[in-house]
Amino acid sequence: MAKKITIDPITRIEGHLRIDVEVNNGRVSNAWASAQMWRGIEVILRGKDPKDAWAFAQRFCGVCTTVHAIASIRSVENALNVEVPLNAQYIRNLIIAQHSVQDHIVHFYHLSALDWVDIVSALKADPKKAASIAQSFSDWPGNSVKEFEAVRDKLKGFVNSGRLGIFASGYWGHPAMRLSPELNLILVTHYLKALDYQRKAAQAVAILGGKNPHIQNLCVGGVATAVNVDNLATINMERLSYLKELMKETAEFVEKVYFPDLVILANYYKDWFGYGKGVDNYLAVPEFPLDTKNEKFELAGGVFFNGNIKPYKMLKNHSEQYLINSITESIAHSWYEGKDGLHPWEGETKPYYTDFQADGKYSWSKAPRFDGRPMQVGPVAQLFAIHASDNTEAKRFIDESLKRIGVEIYDLQSTMGRLVARGIRARIMAHLSLKFLDMLVENIAKGDTEYANHTDIPEGEFKGVGFHEAPRGTLSHWIVIKDKKIKNYQAVVPSTWNASPRDEKGAMGPYEASLVGNPVLEPEKPLEVLRTVHSFDPCIACAVHTIDPEGNEIVRVKVL
Amino acid sequence: MDNIVIFGAGNVLLSDEGFGVHFVRYLENNYTFPDNVKLFDAGTLGIMAMHVIEEADYLFIVDVVDVDGKPGEIRIYDKDDIILDRIPTKMSPHQIGLQEVLLLSEMRERLPKVVKLFGVIPENIEAGTTLSNSLEEKLPILAELLVKEIENIT
């Protein structure tokens, strides 16, 4: 007999996502992903000054603020064909890379680790044994007996006073949990510690962007961060060396704590490289421009079909017509009305709510398609593109990481593979941060202090697209400017690619397809479903977060 | 000297949902605070703004609350209301909710001495960048309330 399970909402994500699965003989046989919140952002931007678009756009989402700012400013620069000075590119690259490091650390520890780590089991751990295990993985100074003992005792206090309630969605003692008490204690200790390191990345973004979470320093044609090594109020030598310190400390955390912890999970849950593949077409765009015309990029992009890690096509820059022309959005199963399969420049946002209809409309997410096909976006796609490119430096991180875990690159197409890919990407981003800082310093040392090309919005009609390879995958903002005002604006975000509902041909989106075939040991505690959904780092994004002190909104797992 | 953080939360693209952020902007434009008072535009950040929370000795959170009552009504909750009583049954759908963030801080022994939530009942959370009248009117009233609160900290 098929059992139908509804999880509403999926917790430990940004935004409101509902997942429905049908379970047959202990396996998921069908799945639906439903974004439960309307995103009215496109409507808000209509009629606004294109120069201000980025400031609004970065409020689209709670956690991915800078990424929308970047994609938005690029869309206007693309429309008007504006060059961006090297210093500005490097400063933006640094913001992007540091934001990624912060995002990946938080995702691994705070948004997904508790799907694999049993806090309650950690109480039984022997701190000495835990320390000796942790020290065998890495020489990080935090892995001391004292530290592990302190965390274990603190946890005991919380459990004894019945106050682990915050982790209500943690399925303690679930038969699918496999780590020993010592490994659980190591991971929980690092979970608490990771908060200090995500902060260092946030500080780096704040120094460069003037403020964090909402950076203040972008302008069409560059950045507003004045560069003058001798001036106290600008990006100067003191700021630059403080930045370097912060970025080095975070990089050390990624190398000596985050990645070794990931190796532990990957080893104990190896079978999870066999679940959760889902849609096996991949899209990544090039990222980190290295020149003023956006022709040369540090990391390549690419299009991959049918699980083939040989690219169907490599993408060298953001102006490739194949990239720009291939994207459309289906609304056949989404709560919108209007014409189906429109290109984002022609895109419409007309809400048409019908309630959840498994065979009809069931999500606020549109279904983006590339060449008519669903695509998976995110770190796996980007690593495929790097692997297929001639960038030996970034590729070395991929090869070395995969070797340590004992898997091949095609194994990344799985639930555990997505976690691993994000960890590898964090290593690459931490490394690139230091590299871009050196490039910035070197460029300033050459005497180049340009940081913005002043740009006025001309009369007439212009179309532009801003692509950005964000932590969750390919992001694009599409803008149509008419008479100095925004005429149309559409954001095609990573989570709409991955959380996509079915399209007019009935093809599932990546979350949905990735759940089919997953084991579910206990339908009342669908831990395995969470593992796969969280592996995408869902960020349904961009919506309300009203506090509800009466506790009306409780996680609901309904089994029919 | 004690660090005081005024933490304005919300999404300014959803009308009244952005009340906390509008409030922080209102304070910036109308008041001058001493150096130990930090105004923080938190947007919809959860756990990623935890370090700001941990920097505070006194934390004043301003946000909209989804409770019964008239739009614009102000409800004040203290630390125990937020992190003790409601926790066992409540999980915010939004990343990691405020309650969890505060309890995590407590686990790290960095919870502010005083935590207060000034909640306002919203009128309209449709797409839009301005507050409804009933909430706009509350900006100066809540500002006075908060300033008094801060003056009482010695």
Side-chain angles (χ1 to χ4, degrees):
Chain A
M1 258 302 278
K3 267 197 167 119
K4 197 154 176 245
I5 306 175
T6 302
I7 312 176
D8 182 22
I10 296 277
T11 55
R12 273 185 273 127
I13 69 168
E14 172 74 18
H16 196 155
L17 172 69
R18 162 179 167 172
I19 295 283
D20 290 74
V21 291
E22 254 170 33
V23 180
N24 248 318
N25 298 321
R27 300 261 166 177
V28 174
S29 52
N30 207 347
W32 293 263
S34 167
Q36 291 278 307
M37 234 134 203
W38 182 52
R39 204 184 58 172
I41 48 193
E42 278 94 355
V43 182
I44 287 179
L45 280 163
R46 246 177 255 154
K48 295 244 176 352
D49 184 341
K51 281 183 164 179
D52 298 336
W54 69 276
F56 290 101
Q58 74 169 327
R59 301 277 178 167
F60 280 10
C61 171
V63 292
C64 335
T65 52
T66 59
V67 307
H68 290 296
I70 295 280
S72 178
I73 206 93
R74 283 180 179 169
S75 73
V76 182
E77 285 163 357
N78 175 264
L80 304 177
N81 213 2
V82 179
E83 281 194 41
V84 179
L86 268 188
N87 288 329
Q89 297 282 39
Y90 294 152
I91 288 172
R92 290 180 185 182
N93 287 353
L94 278 161
I95 289 174
I96 294 168
Q98 280 297 294
H99 169 73
S100 278
V101 172
Q102 183 192 17
D103 201 87
H104 293 333
I105 290 175
V106 170
H107 175 261
F108 179 70
Y109 286 104
H110 308 107
L111 306 181
S112 59
L114 298 187
D115 298 341
W116 313 87
V117 174
D118 188 335
I119 293 192
V120 175
S121 148
L123 296 181
K124 290 185 287 200
D126 171 1
K128 274 201 196 103
K129 217 164 128 191
S132 93
I133 296 170
Q135 286 160 11
S136 75
F137 285 115
S138 116
D139 62 355
W140 193 60
N143 289 330
S144 66
V145 181
K146 218 176 125 194
E147 182 73 36
F148 290 123
E149 211 164 43
V151 171
R152 187 201 55 182
D153 293 346
K154 218 174 288 167
L155 283 178
K156 269 192 183 156
F158 273 85
V159 171
N160 289 340
S161 63
R163 290 173 59 199
L164 269 194
I166 49 160
F167 303 115
S169 65
Y171 292 132
W172 320 132
H174 194 286
M177 292 286 195
R178 271 185 222 152
L179 300 186
S180 67
E182 282 73 27
L183 291 176
N184 280 315
L185 180 59
I186 292 171
L187 269 293
V188 173
T189 304
H190 294 164
Y191 168 101
L192 293 172
K193 205 72 202 167
L195 291 162
D196 293 332
Y197 289 86
Q198 66 85 24
R199 175 207 184 156
K200 289 179 199 290
Q203 278 177 304
V205 172
I207 290 172
L208 291 157
K211 221 175 146 200
N212 191 23
H214 307 104
I215 56 171
Q216 305 282 307
N217 71 321
L218 296 186
C219 62
V220 177
V223 294
T225 319
V227 176
N228 180 344
V229 284
D230 301 320
N231 185 329
L232 284 178
T234 61
I235 286 281
N236 56 43
M237 283 325 283
E238 184 265 329
R239 298 272 86 186
L240 289 170
S241 61
Y242 181 48
L243 254 183
K244 191 162 189 171
E245 270 320 299
L246 287 171
M247 293 184 339
K248 268 186 175 163
E249 285 177 66
T250 337
E252 193 194 12
F253 183 80
V254 170
E255 288 296 330
K256 293 189 173 177
V257 184
Y258 176 4
F259 197 72
D261 285 349
L262 193 51
V263 175
I264 293 173
L265 281 199
N267 276 314
Y268 278 81
Y269 294 101
K270 251 203 172 128
D271 51 332
W272 279 92
F273 285 103
Y275 301 122
K277 185 179 191 177
V279 169
D280 59 0
N281 307 316
Y282 298 88
L283 167 69
V285 292
E287 192 45 86
F288 300 120
L290 300 173
D291 62 355
T292 61
K293 293 184 172 168
N294 294 320
E295 284 168 352
K296 206 171 151 243
F297 287 80
E298 175 73 24
L299 301 177
V303 180
F304 301 79
F305 289 125
N306 306 318
N308 195 344
I309 62 163
K310 276 206 192 130
Y312 176 78
K313 190 172 180 348
M314 291 301 281
L315 300 170
K316 293 206 166 46
N317 58 54
H318 295 172
S319 311
E320 296 210 22
Q321 289 308 303
Y322 175 62
L323 171 64
I324 294 170
N325 296 335
S326 299
I327 297 174
T328 54
E329 293 189 289
S330 167
I331 52 164
H333 290 272
S334 313
W335 287 312
Y336 297 100
E337 59 180 353
K339 227 174 132 199
D340 200 38
L342 291 175
H343 185 272
W345 274 326
E346 275 80 49
E348 301 171 339
T349 313
K350 294 183 197 155
Y352 177 71
Y353 185 71
T354 62
D355 208 351
F356 186 96
Q357 297 171 340
D359 297 325
K361 290 180 180 285
Y362 62 87
S363 177
W364 283 116
S365 178
K366 293 182 183 177
R369 294 295 182 259
F370 192 92
D371 237 351
R373 293 185 246 202
M375 306 297 276
Q376 190 178 136
V377 300
V380 174
Q382 193 180 31
L383 295 197
F384 281 0
I386 295 170
H387 203 261
S389 75
D390 50 9
N391 183 339
T392 49
E393 196 187 23
K395 204 160 147 182
R396 262 209 317 272
F397 281 96
I398 302 177
D399 292 336
E400 197 263 345
S401 305
L402 293 174
K403 209 172 141 202
R404 261 160 78 186
I405 292 171
V407 293
E408 307 283 338
I409 183 137
Y410 53 79
D411 292 322
L412 295 179
Q413 307 184 77
S414 59
T415 297
M416 186 53 74
R418 278 184 288 273
L419 294 189
V420 167
R422 203 168 294 111
I424 299 173
R425 187 173 188 270
R427 296 183 71 192
I428 295 173
M429 292 297 136
H431 166 76
L432 284 180
S433 299
L434 291 161
K435 180 173 164 174
F436 292 137
L437 188 68
D438 285 345
M439 289 164 94
L440 174 66
V441 171
E442 207 175 294
N443 192 56
I444 296 171
K446 272 190 215 151
D448 179 0
T449 52
E450 289 299 316
Y451 52 87
N453 289 318
H454 178 79
T455 307
D456 285 318
I457 311 288
E459 295 283 348
E461 187 165 331
F462 307 89
K463 279 180 183 173
V465 55
F467 285 103
H468 169 39
E469 188 64 18
R472 287 169 186 77
T474 298
L475 167 67
S476 54
H477 282 210
W478 306 76
I479 192 168
V480 182
I481 301 170
K482 196 179 177 193
D483 298 334
K484 304 186 178 195
K485 293 254 162 50
I486 296 172
K487 186 179 162 202
N488 198 5
Y489 201 97
Q490 294 285 325
V492 184
V493 308
S495 292
T496 47
W497 285 102
N498 288 337
S500 151
R502 289 153 171 81
D503 59 24
E504 76 286 357
K505 290 180 257 175
M508 286 180 161
Y511 291 0
E512 299 177 330
S514 70
L515 287 164
V516 176
N518 273 217
V520 175
L521 288 176
E522 299 181 354
E524 295 75 23
K525 293 180 177 176
L527 175 62
E528 298 91 338
V529 172
L530 291 182
R531 283 179 176 171
T532 292
V533 174
H534 282 156
S535 74
F536 285 94
D537 196 357
C539 194
I540 301 311
C542 335
V544 185
H545 90 135
T546 317
I547 286 181
D548 171 8
E550 306 302 337
N552 293 328
E553 196 144 21
I554 303 169
V555 195
R556 195 156 51 96
V557 176
K558 204 172 70 190
V559 184
L560 289 178
Chain B
M1 202 186 283
D2 282 325
N3 280 321
I4 299 166
V5 172
I6 300 170
F7 190 95
N11 190 336
V12 287
L13 301 186
L14 295 163
S15 316
D16 293 344
E17 224 284 325
F19 182 80
V21 178
H22 286 284
F23 181 71
V24 161
R25 290 177 182 169
Y26 178 85
L27 290 183
E28 279 168 351
N29 294 334
N30 293 285
Y31 288 84
T32 312
F33 288 99
D35 288 346
N36 64 322
V37 179
K38 182 176 180 180
L39 304 179
F40 186 68
D41 162 7
T44 54
L45 233 68
I47 197 164
M48 284 166 126
M50 190 160 154
H51 50 279
V52 179
I53 291 171
E54 291 186 343
E55 278 164 17
D57 299 297
Y58 290 79
L59 176 68
F60 299 114
I61 300 160
V62 180
D63 202 350
V64 284
V65 286
D66 183 13
V67 294
D68 289 336
K70 271 209 336 240
E73 271 177 26
I74 298 170
R75 302 282 170 85
I76 303 174
Y77 304 85
D78 71 16
K79 189 154 56 175
D80 285 355
D81 289 329
I82 306 167
I83 71 168
L84 291 180
D85 298 340
R86 327 285 179 185
I87 288 300
T89 52
K90 164 77 174 75
M91 284 288 287
S92 160
H94 306 287
Q95 209 202 22
I96 291 191
L98 184 63
Q99 292 94 333
E100 293 168 87
V101 169
L102 293 179
L103 208 70
L104 263 178
S105 285
E106 199 182 1
M107 268 182 165
R108 285 157 51 83
E109 292 168 0
R110 302 199 198 154
L111 190 65
K113 323 196 246 223
V114 171
V115 179
K116 268 194 185 180
L117 164 64
F118 293 82
V120 178
I121 300 174
E123 180 178 331
N124 165 28
I125 50 170
E126 300 288 301
T129 53
T130 53
L131 291 176
S132 346
N133 286 339
S134 51
L135 271 78
E136 182 87 41
E137 285 168 11
K138 288 297 182 311
L139 290 173
I141 296 167
L142 186 57
E144 281 306 307
L145 217 69
L146 233 147
V147 165
K148 268 202 201 105
E149 191 89 37
I150 291 171
E151 278 168 358
N152 288 335
I153 301 170
T154 46

